[in-house]
């Protein structure tokens, strides 16, 4: 059995969505355990989440500085720290870790100013630390496939890149901003000089760079602040010129009604085109010059080995399968807990498929076989 | 902190796909730990997977009978057993658990004959055990939404049900069946009297029953065995009549080229229609009489509370997000391991977005703001 | 210049939808002129439509018998008759034409009983007459492509056929049937023994036969009459077995809420699959075993010559283009008529793009070039 | 019967695609006849097409000047002239018509320079002439619906507009441009200063203006010339600011592999979003704030009256239906001609559905009814 790894977390306290996603992702891989954290500035919240997550009291740290020093000093210190604070704290938290020789995984955007990033790079190099940034959408199998197809020359020399990332789920929140009720994403001191451009725009920028290797030469950008009360952009439109002659357009918006999280990137070469739509991340559209467009499917035998190695569920089972299973277990565990607590349990009320449903299924397929054996005749089921 | 639960597994040894999915799903919920198992009939395989999964030696059981007795006898025995063996062993394994008072979650189909199922029900009732069957596709948020919409009368009285589940991923395997090389799904002794009809057909049957509450009255069914060497069906076509007057058609196939796992169910009422496509499980198409069809999106504010409670990632983040994150951590952990093992590590080779990419992103959004502040003028990036 | 052809019409009087479509289709080809007809049993209606269509008075016939005889006797008689009456009159009208040696194009279904059809065939053979049946959906370019791909062996030996044709546009009409208000499609004497099965079901049956050449060996069929007051089917579900071992399922419905005219046919072979969706008739999905699914596009260079010859607008222009053009001309002609009639005409009120819009367009593209020539700088437009 | 109108054509000689589309569109409406033209500078070509189109010799004009004068002088002169020459001749041809008091319909772009357009407007106003410009895509029913929804305030105040129009069908032609082989679209003297920006870009510009009423305030535009030998743009990227505060991005390309004619326009307001995709022009996606996105379907009862009046085929029949019918008649007329010419005719070779197919259909639906009447039992068909 391979040695299990250990990690800690900065930020990600009670109610923080992205911290929970990081933890769930690491649990999926099942090779590292969360052993410490500096989850919040509020001691009560920290205590609560440490108890929930099974973290020992002495590894519930009040701040990232303290955590960095203490973990660096331990024999059994963490293998890396995950940083999921508001953007403005990414830099000091990552710096503290690196200075103490601890590897870092930071949420994106990396920090607020590029100079901060270069500073981190200098320290990481000096200390020999590893550093990852969770631009999530490069983690999809089909993002890896796209990158490999570009590297393999399948679409030829790249000419244009069209990237867009419209959303509307923050629409109500962004339009009711008041002095007292301002999400941190809309506060320059916490978020940096940009909101949508930093939060969403960098996803386009990174995905394109990751997949194509293209470097931006120059850009022209318009930022809009729609609605009342906002001080940071919620709609971003940019023309982009890449080194080497390719051009492109990037658009991202938080006020695009009817769009959930619709990252879509199209890369046009002189031999073909690749289209990736994040909300349909099991697929990649590949069009070759003079040929009918094709839809590549995650897990299929024709994928490149570089992408195939990230396939978790075999061909034909979409991502999201695990979540569906998990929901059934959530229901079942609830029934188990209620039963243990002595409550009256009616299994039909919990949502998981019951024994009776199991019996119905067996009845069903046996009746199907009966019908078939009788020449596809009609048979009575119940 | 809520008490953590404990479970064991029957089947799901090295290389078994579905056992790994069950374990990952339970890890996602993070409220129960795998503490024992009877993973294989091969002692070496058992030892290997127990080591991988961190299971104590004394809870590595040779058989389900032994496991059932031992766990029932322990003070800290399991809260439930997961059964993920070939179909033919579901019944005896579940029976052993129930007889020892242990709750059961069984993979589908429940067993091979309906009488076996009724036997299990009798014992479960007698012993007061809980029993769940993992018909996965009822676990999707939008399956729950569909059920609630039907219950709320949104589509009125149901008239027709069209269910289909075509696949092609077993195509090659199913067409090269020889005496020596026969997947268990194609062996009647292990799989029961039906293959596709049991493995896939019951998913349609269950989803329809789960969502609509309709009971099948009678059916006429044709089974095909395409290709050479098979003895069990790989294509299933059935006409169905439900109690109360609704009718329907079910089709499932393992030889439908171009289809991965395309469970699609359409339920037609006298007021509206619901369409669920498993490969696009973040959505539900809802058409009301005389109105334009609508596409419901998982996580949106207009979902019923009954479905919303299963939403794991907030509006606008698709299922599959966690897997993408997990892939990035997989890459990062590989680099951490290599570094710990003293290997030379070039972070660009591992696949996770690097610090330099993080810096590029910060540069990007700041240049966007620079451009905007200069009247959307062109600015140089590098 | 090729000789222009002449045709007549039986049925298709004022307000009859399908007669107008036949005439428009023939005008599109611009090689035949409508010169006579027996449009209605009502002399006033006949006179009105003959005037509208520019038909000479002596070729406005009271009945098809009269028309058949008179046209057969004329030196300049018609080259064919189009029959677009209610189903029950197809047979006698076609028979009258054939007996007088006139070629026939009949709307579908051909007639009410197969014996009638065989009778027509006997006479047509005897008289040496041509006979076409307008199963429209075989006329699509991509239907021709599908047929040719099957003939070329691209999808191998056919195993299964899934055909469906759900509609809802007659829903309200079909549910308010009373003795006094019964559409002819719902009256057995006019429509024959079947409604949806004859009107829509035969489209599936014909398309499949046309494209695959398969012959039905046997079938089992369930007909439903949903709603009150109907005596003919509005929902049809059938299992089909073809000669040679292929099987299939056909479904058609007039009460499938949310579906307009959704004919969809999937043909599965042992080498590949073809999928045709009538509402997206510019495309054909072609999936080959082990390869990513492809989407063929009407007009593309890779189409077979047998299909390409039916392409009317070059690659990249969808069918429907002509209708859009025609709508603009409709608006323009309305303005011309109003102007000629001495009415005050404000061109902005008519819907066609105006001269000012033309100017705006020229301004637009010149300003684009100006901006580009200034280094993609911002330029003022108005 | 309404008076039939008369029109003439400038350009649109043998082989010219767009002239033929204009003529077919006018035939669809069946209220105007083509009576004269100046189709080509080549007298032989002119004679050929006049013969094909049935135009009298004395109305086959050598040039548009001559045509304008002669038609203006005739008692039975044309009601309008259609201009479908290369772009550079639109202006002089239109001018000649207007100066002689003849109404004009011009293909787009209107002309090469905005001053020319203003000149035409001056003359048209002076002479009281009507003038239409065939920006085709405003002719779609769903374009009219989009305009009306905006006018009705359904999507509120417009914030952003995203327009794109990628193509690849000229790709090969555009990349093999030589001095001797240069399509007129790629020659500045014939096409004007822009190619894609004029040919496709103006479609976006016009559609947006037509539907929203927004006026462009300023723009920044990048033009690319990909491939060798071109002197005019084949890829266009623009940022747009509208008067009133809305912003947008326009992209059009002739080198976007995998895209046929993919005009797509999304209009975002503060209450909702409208999305029109020209290749799926029977539909309009309408998303209202906080509601699930809806798909409007051409011909449905919920459309506005302003759009409904352009519906040609009733609910549920897609545009393209007429073309499919026309293809069947094309086949049938070919058989008629061959038969008349004394050739041996095998009807199975012509592509239209035959009498036998008609008989099969009648057999099919009667057997369906037989089966149903026998309790959905299996019945033999042949």
């Amino acid at each position: 059995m391979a040695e299990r790894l250990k990690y800690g977390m900065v930020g990600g306290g009670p109610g923080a969505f992205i911290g929970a996603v990081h933890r769930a992702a690491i649990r999926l891989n099942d090779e590292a355990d969360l052993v410490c954290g500096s989850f919040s500035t509020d001691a009560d919240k920290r205590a609560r989440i440490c108890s929930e997550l099974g973290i020992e009291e002495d590894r519930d740290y009040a701040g990232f500085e303290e955590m960095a020093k203490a973990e660096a000093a331990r024999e059994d210190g963490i293998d890396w720290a995950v940083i999921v604070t508001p953007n403005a704290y990414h830099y000091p938290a990552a710096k503290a870790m690196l200075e103490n020789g601890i590897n870092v995984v930071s949420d994106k955007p990396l920090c607020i100013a590029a100079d901060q990033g270069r500073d981190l790079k200098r320290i990481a190099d000096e200390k020999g630390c590893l550093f990852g940034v969770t631009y999530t959408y490069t983690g999809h199998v089909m993002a890896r496939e796209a990158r490999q197809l570009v590297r393999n020359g399948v679409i030829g020399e790249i000419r244009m890149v069209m990237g867009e990332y419209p959303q509307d789920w923050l629409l109500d929140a962004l339009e009711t901003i008041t002095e007292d009720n301002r999400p941190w994403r809309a506060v320059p001191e916490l978020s940096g000089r940009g909101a949508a451009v930093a939060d969403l725009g960098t996803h386009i920028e990174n995905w394109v760079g990751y997949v194509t290797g293209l470097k931006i030469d120059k850009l022209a950008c318009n930022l809009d602040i729609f609605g009342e009360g906002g001080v940071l952009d919620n709609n971003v439109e940019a023309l982009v010129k890449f080194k080497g002659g390719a051009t492109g357009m990037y658009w991202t918006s938080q006020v695009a009604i009817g769009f959930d999280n619709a990252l879509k990137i199209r890369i046009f070469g002189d031999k073909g085109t690749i289209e990736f739509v994040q909300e349909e991340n099991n697929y990649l559209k590949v069009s070759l010059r003079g040929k009918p467009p094709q839809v590549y499917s995650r897990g299929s035998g024709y994928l490149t080995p570089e992408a195939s190695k990230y396939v978790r569920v075999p061909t034909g089972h979409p991502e999201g399968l695990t979540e569906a299973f998990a929901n059934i277990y959530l229901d079942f565990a609830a029934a188990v807990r209620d039963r243990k607590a002595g409550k009256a349990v009616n299994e039909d009320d919990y949502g998981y498929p019951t024994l009776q449903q199991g019996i119905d299924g067996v009845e069903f397929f046996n009746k199907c076989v009966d019908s078939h054996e009788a020449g596809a005749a009609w048979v009575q089921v119940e």
Side-chain angles (χ1 to χ4, degrees), chain A:
Chain A
M1 186 197 181
E3 182 206 348
R4 288 188 74 83
L5 301 171
K6 294 171 294 298
Y7 76 101
M9 183 168 272
V10 182
F17 145 59
I18 205 68
V21 174
H22 281 253
R23 293 190 299 262
I26 295 171
R27 283 201 307 278
L28 263 190
N29 291 341
D30 200 22
E31 58 173 336
D33 299 303
L34 177 62
V35 296
C36 73
S38 169
F39 295 99
S40 172
T41 52
D42 176 321
D44 283 350
K45 285 188 182 169
R46 280 206 312 277
R48 177 145 54 93
I49 197 161
C50 284
S51 155
E52 268 172 35
L53 297 171
I55 287 169
E56 307 290 329
E57 233 167 276
D58 68 325
R59 294 176 99 170
D60 166 6
Y61 299 107
F64 49 74
E65 291 280 0
E66 185 189 327
M67 171 171 148
K69 277 177 196 144
E71 289 294 320
R74 289 179 75 116
E75 190 73 5
D76 64 345
I78 54 176
D79 289 299
W80 74 77
V82 173
I83 298 175
V84 285
T85 61
N87 299 348
Y89 304 120
H90 289 183
Y91 169 65
K95 191 174 174 187
M97 296 300 153
L98 294 176
E99 283 175 340
N100 285 282
I102 297 173
N103 299 317
V104 172
V105 175
S106 169
D107 211 50
K108 44 55 55 185
L110 173 64
C111 49
I112 283 184
D115 279 350
Q116 298 174 331
R118 284 185 277 266
D119 198 34
L120 294 179
K121 182 137 180 53
R122 189 184 49 73
I123 308 171
D125 289 347
E126 216 173 277
K127 296 284 184 175
C129 289
L130 299 172
F131 203 113
V133 184
T134 48
Y135 282 112
T136 331
Y137 307 127
T138 60
H140 287 296
V141 174
M142 298 318 265
R144 308 300 171 98
E145 180 71 11
R147 180 160 77 153
Q148 200 56 39
L149 292 177
V150 170
R151 288 182 175 184
N152 291 353
V154 168
I155 63 166
E157 193 178 342
I158 293 170
R159 291 174 162 185
M160 298 96 70
V161 177
M162 296 291 137
E164 64 180 51
Y165 192 165
Q167 289 187 337
D168 71 0
W169 63 287
L170 281 169
L171 186 53
D172 291 335
L174 288 173
E175 292 206 344
T176 56
I177 295 176
T178 59
E179 269 315 303
D180 304 332
N181 176 19
R182 190 181 287 279
W184 70 258
R185 289 167 198 278
V187 178
E189 292 70 30
L190 296 177
S191 179
R193 294 166 72 207
V197 69
D199 193 25
L200 309 184
T202 56
H203 272 302
I204 301 177
E205 176 268 337
N206 179 257
W207 207 96
V208 171
Y210 185 89
V211 165
T212 68
L214 289 175
K215 297 284 177 197
I216 296 176
D217 184 39
K218 46 188 178 176
L219 57 80
C221 179
N222 172 58
L223 304 181
D224 293 310
I225 304 172
F226 290 111
E228 300 297 315
V231 293
L232 287 175
D233 59 289
N234 51 27
N235 188 62
V236 180
E237 298 155 341
L239 296 182
V240 177
K241 297 191 181 186
F242 298 94
K243 296 196 186 303
T247 59
M249 297 173 78
Y250 290 175
W251 169 53
T252 185
S253 185
Q254 292 171 316
V255 296
I257 294 174
F259 290 83
D260 285 345
N261 222 30
L263 177 70
K264 173 161 112 172
I265 293 174
R266 292 174 286 180
I267 301 169
F268 298 88
D270 62 357
K271 294 187 184 160
T273 296
I274 281 177
E275 179 171 335
F276 175 77
V277 175
Q278 188 261 149
E279 293 178 336
E280 299 161 18
N281 58 63
N282 291 288
Y283 304 97
L284 191 69
K285 191 174 164 198
V286 180
S287 302
L288 301 184
R289 191 168 176 152
K291 301 270 174 58
Q294 305 164 92
V295 180
Y296 282 45
S297 174
R298 185 191 52 73
S300 297
Y302 47 73
L303 292 198
T304 61
E306 289 81 0
S308 292
K309 69 176 179 181
Y310 294 97
V311 174
R312 285 162 187 273
V313 280
T315 320
H317 291 83
E319 310 276 7
L321 182 78
T322 314
E323 281 84 350
F325 264 104
N327 285 340
I328 291 174
Y329 276 108
L330 209 62
D331 293 335
F332 191 76
V336 168
R337 287 184 191 284
D338 283 352
R339 172 69 54 93
K340 288 180 93 167
K343 295 186 195 159
V345 168
N346 178 348
E347 292 189 82
D348 288 329
D349 297 342
Y350 285 82
Y352 59 87
T354 61
L355 186 49
Q356 185 56 51
Q357 292 181 45
I359 296 169
D360 290 348
V362 177
E363 188 88 319
F364 170 75
F365 82 74
N366 278 286
K367 291 293 181 181
C368 283
V369 180
D370 288 348
S371 168
H372 176 68
E373 292 180 348
W378 288 89
V379 295
Q380 193 70 28
V381 175
E382 325 192 35

